[in-house]
Amino acid sequence: MAAEKPAGRSADGAGWDGGAGADGRGGAAAPAFPEERPGRRAGRTRRGGADHSNGAAGTDGGGAAERSGGASRSGRTEEPADPESRARDICLRLLTGAAKTRKQLADALRKREIPEEVAEEVLTRLEEVGLIDDAAFAHAWVESRHSVRGLSRRALAQELRTKGVAGELAEQALAQLDQDDETEAARALVERRLRTTRGLERQTRTRRLVGMLARRGYSEGLAFRVVREALDEEESGGGEYGAAYGDTAYQD
């Protein structure tokens, strides 16, 4: 009987030396039935540990949230308090992405509630150092929009007015385009769209092609002349565009 009592206590996981255990090693760290109560204790320990970990994580998370909130609040307080510094920072951020006209920057400062006199001072300073150059902006805008989109002088003039460039600066930028440039651009647009109208009546084709040119700012007279010439050439030339490109419609 004396031998059975220690065995029972060892099975219950009590703190016995136990000599050699079930696996031949000593100590209670290797109980005879690990799937029973010691396993349940381990489960409780894991759950307890998880709860404790969650609690710690929650505490740390809260602290991190507080620290983050503090950093965020600190970040807001670090924003330049005086209107002049704020205005300068706003303009420099906008100019980093792409060139802007003075009007575009002035509108942005107005939305940010920068006082008008401060905005004028900052914008004038940026012009003096060359960061605002409406003439260069207008020249580049006309060149790009005409070559890529095929816009006419009239359409480009309207876009420049919207950007805040008008008067002499706009005229100087538009002077790089002449009547021949507009005619060639209109012809290129019609040639690219001509195949998409194949199979339609001539009147319908004319209306669609002229409308396309009108949306790009071309005058009615120039549009009708260019479209008529293109259709006449197609009819008399045995389908010049069809021979070059087939019947695949061009996707503009």
Side-chain angles (χ1 to χ4, degrees):
M1 297 295 293
E4 293 177 358
K5 186 174 182 180
R9 293 178 62 187
S10 177
D12 290 341
W16 277 96
D17 257 350
D23 57 358
R25 293 192 295 269
F33 304 100
E35 70 277 8
E36 294 185 356
R37 292 176 59 187
R40 289 194 294 273
R41 284 202 301 275
R44 287 195 297 273
T45 301
R46 285 194 297 271
R47 287 195 297 273
D51 292 340
H52 176 73
S53 174
N54 289 339
T59 303
D60 290 343
E66 291 184 12
R67 289 193 296 271
S68 175
S72 177
R73 288 193 295 272
S74 175
R76 287 194 295 271
T77 57
E78 288 175 3
E79 185 179 5
D82 60 296
E84 182 178 351
S85 297
R86 288 184 59 228
R88 185 171 57 251
D89 288 352
I90 292 169
C91 290
L92 292 178
R93 284 197 299 270
L94 292 174
L95 290 170
T96 299
K100 298 288 189 298
T101 64
R102 177 168 180 141
K103 179 182 182 298
Q104 288 176 302
L105 294 174
D107 291 342
L109 295 179
R110 190 177 303 110
K111 290 179 180 178
R112 297 293 295 272
E113 299 182 351
I114 300 296
E116 184 175 354
E117 63 276 9
V118 174
E120 287 295 318
E121 182 178 351
V122 170
L123 294 173
T124 299
R125 178 56 180 160
L126 292 176
E127 279 185 328
E128 291 173 353
V129 299
L131 292 179
I132 299 177
D133 190 339
D134 283 1
F137 176 94
H139 189 279
W141 184 268
V142 168
E143 182 179 4
S144 173
R145 298 287 284 175
H146 177 72
S147 61
V148 176
R149 295 281 297 163
L151 298 183
S152 68
R153 286 169 50 93
R154 183 169 62 180
L156 291 167
Q158 177 59 41
E159 289 190 345
L160 288 177
R161 282 193 294 271
T162 302
K163 301 291 182 183
V165 182
E168 185 178 353
L169 291 181
E171 288 299 325
Q172 291 174 355
L174 293 169
Q176 59 187 307
L177 303 178
D178 56 22
Q179 184 65 35
D180 291 339
D181 293 326
E182 283 200 323
T183 302
E184 288 303 316
R187 285 174 177 165
L189 289 170
V190 171
E191 289 176 3
R192 287 176 1 196
R193 288 291 185 91
L194 197 62
R195 295 184 305 279
T196 68
T197 64
R198 185 164 297 157
L200 301 175
E201 295 181 355
R202 177 168 177 136
Q203 183 178 0
T204 302
R205 301 179 77 186
T206 299
R207 184 176 65 251
R208 292 189 179 183
L209 293 170
V210 168
M212 178 269 296
L213 291 178
R215 288 190 294 273
R216 283 168 170 78
Y218 291 94
S219 66
E220 182 177 342
L222 174 61
F224 271 106
R225 176 167 61 84
V226 170
V227 170
R228 182 177 63 252
E229 291 174 354
L231 292 175
D232 290 344
E233 184 178 356
E234 182 190 58
E235 292 174 359
S236 63
E240 174 184 351
Y241 304 115
Y245 301 102
D247 292 332
T248 303
Y250 180 85
Q251 298 297 324
D252 191 9

